[in-house]
Amino acid sequence: MRQLLAGKTAPILIVLLAIGLFWYAAAIWMNAPWQTTLNQRAGLDSVGATEFIGQTWSQDKPVLPAPHQVAGEIWNATVGTDIASKRSLAYHASITLSATLLGFALGTLLGIGLAVVIVHNDASERSLMPWIIASQTIPILAIAPMVVVGLGAVGVTGLLPKALISMYLSFFPVVVGMVKGLRTPEAIQLDLMHTYSATPWQVFSKLRWPAAIPFLFASMKVGIAISLIGAVVGELSNNAGGGLGVRLLTGSYNGQTIQIWAALFIAAGLAAVLVIAVGAAERLVNRAMGARP
Amino acid sequence: MTELAPSSQDAMAVVRAQNLGLTFPTNDGDVIALSDVNLTINKGEFVSFIGPSGCGKTTFLRTIADLEQPTSGTLTVNGTTPSDARLNRAYGYVFQAPALYPWRTIAQNVALPLEIMGLSDKAERIARTLELVNLTGFENKYPWQLSGGMQQRASIARALSFDADLLLMDEPFGALDEIVRDHLNSELLKLWARTRKTIAFVTHSIPEAVYLSTKIVVMSPRPGRVTDIIESDLPAERPLDIRETPEFLRLAARVRDGLRAGHSYEE
Ligand SMILES: Nc1ncnc2c1ncn2[C@@H]1O[C@H](COP(=O)(O)OP(=O)(O)OP(=O)(O)O)[C@@H](O)[C@H]1O
Ligand SMILES: [Mg+2]
């Protein structure tokens, strides 16, 4: 027991358990009014406490679905459903995932490109940085429909519009991180390059770029998570293409709270997996670059 | 390249400073880092620069290396401007800190100038220079796996790897303990004897300056200038215990006097 507590597993389990208990309790409390109405309509007067609690945890469209209902829905809609079917959450998740990854790749490239320009040219920092910052102050919810609908009008639909929204969100942390990263080399390291009469490209490829790699990964961890948000928000504006965002939207139209929660959890799980994947790539690169373990 | 026929005197001069001055403009007024420096470093000499902190030793070395621009006087390196000398890869520079790139192994760090200059026979050069500084066997280690002294030796190997005839060293052993320092000093002397390079060496230590040099340049601050140039008459062969001989102590006393005369340690 003591060993368990000393590790990571036990504290996490305890927190999970607490959240679960709180959730079940909240489900009783939030679903009770509607359950009472239902029981009155059905003419059931004397429902025992245990039975009543059971009822609040098994409604069709509960205000707050109980954890096991969400878990059941996730299971049914992934493992229990053909992956090619439009009812499969795995199918929708894969649509969101491809938009996320494409947008993330584009955003990272754009971010790196802008950072390189900014670091090599002082004037471009003064002219570009305000616009880059301003771009992030505009609510994405306002921009997403314009992009999706606008591009749809000229015949661009499917993955690309959503990916563009992901890119719009994810390039920002990459620019900020890489501008800092490309500037980390110390004066003495740059002087060394000068004594070799190195070309600007050599200074970039042999000094600035490798020095910036840790900053790149830190930015990419933020970038990949908000890429997913961008893709989901993009899907909210166009329910033809499918994706987790569409599941959220149809779920809320139809009051299918269980479906909403299931889609939410899949999205959160996806984000976690993506961040972990970037972290794994980071460790691999670190090892190749001789970082202290 | 078109070079004017140098006079016999110039042919020997690797570095020649005439009335050299350098002033840094700063927010609270100008800082005179060098003023009226006249100095010639001849081929094959081992010249030490000694003087209190802030007297312009680093600045002088950086000016030779074309890392700072003089504001008055003239400075030639191998008979050309410092900028041309740099483009000709005339010198290797050892900074006060090792300045190794942490993502490169020791061998890769030594290979850095070779890659940049596009030199061939990298493997042979790396092996040879690492042997010169006693680091054979550490090729695949990363800098953090080495002690401070080993890192500094690796940075010396890096400066040697492309065979420049002039070596500029800014307090390379400043951060090391006395034992390691003694060892590296005698290694450096052997290396100098073997390769016949011209070395400009900055130090704070009187014994180090006297032990290593054929010529000792004493500098003083406010503003940075040369107060004494001492030619050493010690024999070329220098075991460590030469430091107890009367000749050595006499030279050391003269350097100390030179430092005092510059009012360097008075307030
Ligand atoms: N980039 C710079 N801008 C302004 N002042 C400078 C700059 N570099 C050096 N100085 C000034 O020039 C003077 C000489 O500095 P320098 O680094 O050459 O001294 P130093 O003899 O190497 O000292 P130390 O023994 O402490 O290394 C100092 O007063 C310093 O403050
Ligand atoms: Mg200095």
Side-chain angles (χ1 to χ4, degrees):
Chain A
M1 188 65 199
R2 176 167 286 180
Q3 256 185 336
L4 257 183
L5 279 174
K8 257 190 197 168
T9 336
I12 292 177
L13 282 180
I14 289 169
V15 170
L16 267 182
L17 194 68
I19 292 176
L21 286 176
F22 178 77
W23 189 345
Y24 272 109
I28 300 172
W29 181 61
M30 293 181 71
N31 298 334
W34 175 237
Q35 193 60 46
T36 314
T37 318
L38 277 181
N39 287 354
Q40 275 167 0
R41 280 190 202 157
L44 298 170
D45 305 325
S46 54
V47 179
T50 333
E51 195 187 340
F52 184 78
I53 289 175
Q55 286 174 331
T56 60
W57 287 346
S58 55
Q59 290 177 2
D60 250 1
K61 295 181 174 183
V63 178
L64 177 66
H68 68 268
Q69 291 180 289
V70 176
E73 166 72 14
I74 290 176
W75 178 266
N76 288 336
T78 50
V79 185
T81 313
D82 179 18
I83 194 148
S85 146
K86 291 229 165 187
R87 311 195 69 84
S88 163
L89 264 183
Y91 163 78
H92 290 285
S94 72
I95 292 178
T96 306
L97 180 65
S98 27
T100 302
L101 291 179
L102 179 61
F104 171 66
L106 292 175
T108 304
L109 288 180
L110 176 65
I112 292 173
L114 284 171
V116 169
V117 171
I118 286 173
V119 166
H120 287 92
N121 182 338
D122 284 343
S124 69
E125 167 153 40
R126 268 172 278 127
S127 55
L128 283 177
M129 224 32 186
W131 291 106
I132 291 172
I133 291 166
S135 76
Q136 301 301 304
T137 63
I138 304 168
I140 190 66
L141 277 172
I143 292 205
M146 295 196 299
V147 173
V148 173
V149 175
L151 284 178
V154 296
V156 182
T157 55
L159 211 56
L160 194 61
K162 296 189 277 180
L164 286 179
I165 295 164
S166 290
M167 178 186 88
Y168 184 85
L169 288 183
S170 64
F171 87 94
F172 184 68
V174 177
V175 182
V176 174
M178 284 305 277
V179 165
K180 181 135 179 55
L182 292 170
R183 283 188 177 149
T184 42
E186 296 164 25
I188 188 174
Q189 292 176 322
L190 286 162
D191 283 347
L192 185 71
M193 281 292 184
H194 188 72
T195 68
Y196 301 151
S197 306
T199 63
W201 166 248
Q202 287 170 328
V203 175
F204 178 80
S205 62
K206 293 183 192 297
L207 177 56
R208 289 194 190 273
W209 177 256
I213 290 293
F215 292 80
L216 178 62
F217 277 105
S219 313
M220 288 204 306
K221 279 188 200 159
V222 181
I224 190 97
I226 57 178
S227 276
L228 184 79
I229 294 176
V232 170
V233 169
E235 286 162 354
L236 291 179
S237 312
N238 173 19
N239 56 13
L244 292 173
V246 172
R247 289 290 284 187
L248 287 174
L249 204 62
T250 53
S252 73
Y253 283 154
N254 305 327
Q256 294 282 2
T257 43
I258 301 181
Q259 181 188 326
I260 298 177
W261 280 84
L264 270 181
F265 269 87
I266 292 282
L270 206 54
V273 169
L274 290 172
V275 171
I276 289 170
V278 173
E282 178 179 26
R283 273 193 298 283
L284 280 180
V285 171
N286 273 350
R287 194 168 325 146
M289 290 176 67
R292 255 185 156 102
Chain B
M1 213 165 48
T2 55
E3 263 181 49
L4 298 174
S7 72
S8 62
Q9 189 195 16
D10 282 346
M12 292 290 288
V14 175
V15 176
R16 175 185 286 269
Q18 279 163 316
N19 308 321
L20 188 74
L22 198 158
T23 306
F24 290 109
T26 67
N27 288 338
D28 33 55
D30 288 354
V31 175
I32 303 172
L34 295 173
S35 84
D36 205 24
V37 173
N38 290 290
L39 182 73
T40 303
I41 300 178
N42 291 317
K43 194 163 170 43
E45 275 188 313
F46 195 127
V47 181
S48 283
F49 295 83
I50 190 164
S53 190
C55 70
K57 306 181 293 293
T58 297
T59 305
F60 185 60
L61 235 54
R62 288 176 62 85
T63 314
I64 298 173
D66 190 37
L67 291 168
E68 308 286 354
Q69 301 309 318
T71 44
S72 63
T74 57
L75 178 68
T76 59
V77 180
N78 291 336
T80 66
T81 63
S83 166
D84 283 342
R86 172 173 62 81
L87 290 169
N88 291 335
R89 273 100 193 217
Y91 64 85
Y93 199 112
V94 180
F95 292 88
Q96 196 160 348
L100 299 171
Y101 291 2
W103 52 86
R104 285 177 169 251
T105 62
I106 296 307
Q108 288 167 343
N109 266 291
V110 176
L112 179 71
L114 307 178
E115 288 169 20
I116 288 172
M117 299 174 188
L119 298 179
S120 53
D121 51 314
K122 287 200 190 69
E124 186 268 322
R125 283 168 184 274
I126 294 168
R128 179 164 48 84
T129 46
L130 281 181
E131 195 193 336
L132 227 44
V133 297
N134 263 328
L135 278 180
T136 309
F138 293 89
E139 289 84 357
N140 297 321
K141 295 268 188 266
Y142 284 95
W144 60 269
Q145 295 171 303
L146 269 58
S147 74
M150 293 161 93
Q151 290 182 26
Q152 195 55 270
R153 276 187 277 156
S155 83
I156 293 172
R158 182 180 56 188
L160 292 172
S161 65
F162 52 99
D163 273 326
D165 288 330
L166 174 61
L167 207 50
L168 306 173
M169 307 178 86
D170 190 0
E171 295 189 55
F173 310 138
L176 306 179
D177 72 69
E178 202 110 4
I179 309 283
V180 177
R181 199 170 172 148
D182 280 354
H183 175 69
L184 290 182
N185 277 342
S186 56
E187 290 298 311
L188 181 61
L189 264 191
K190 280 188 212 144
L191 190 148
W192 171 70
R194 229 177 311 163
T195 58
R196 284 286 137 199
K197 290 187 187 304
T198 310
I199 299 183
F201 186 96
V202 170
T203 178
H204 270 132
S205 153
I206 297 175
E208 189 172 66
V210 177
Y211 176 68
L212 291 172
S213 319
T214 57
K215 188 191 261 180
I216 302 158
V217 178
V218 183
M219 296 178 71
S220 93
R222 278 164 278 183
R225 65 206 148 83
V226 174
T227 48
D228 197 5
I229 298 179
I230 303 163
E231 301 277 348
S232 168
D233 47 8
L234 292 180
E237 191 67 30
R238 297 179 189 181
L240 274 171
D241 50 20
I242 199 170
R243 294 179 298 186
E244 271 94 64
T245 62
E247 296 80 26
F248 187 98
L249 296 175
R250 193 175 42 73
L251 277 170
R254 190 171 154 199
V255 173
R256 188 168 292 114
D257 287 346
L259 288 172
R260 278 216 198 92
H263 302 286
S264 39
Y265 292 114
E266 287 169 16
E267 254 321 291

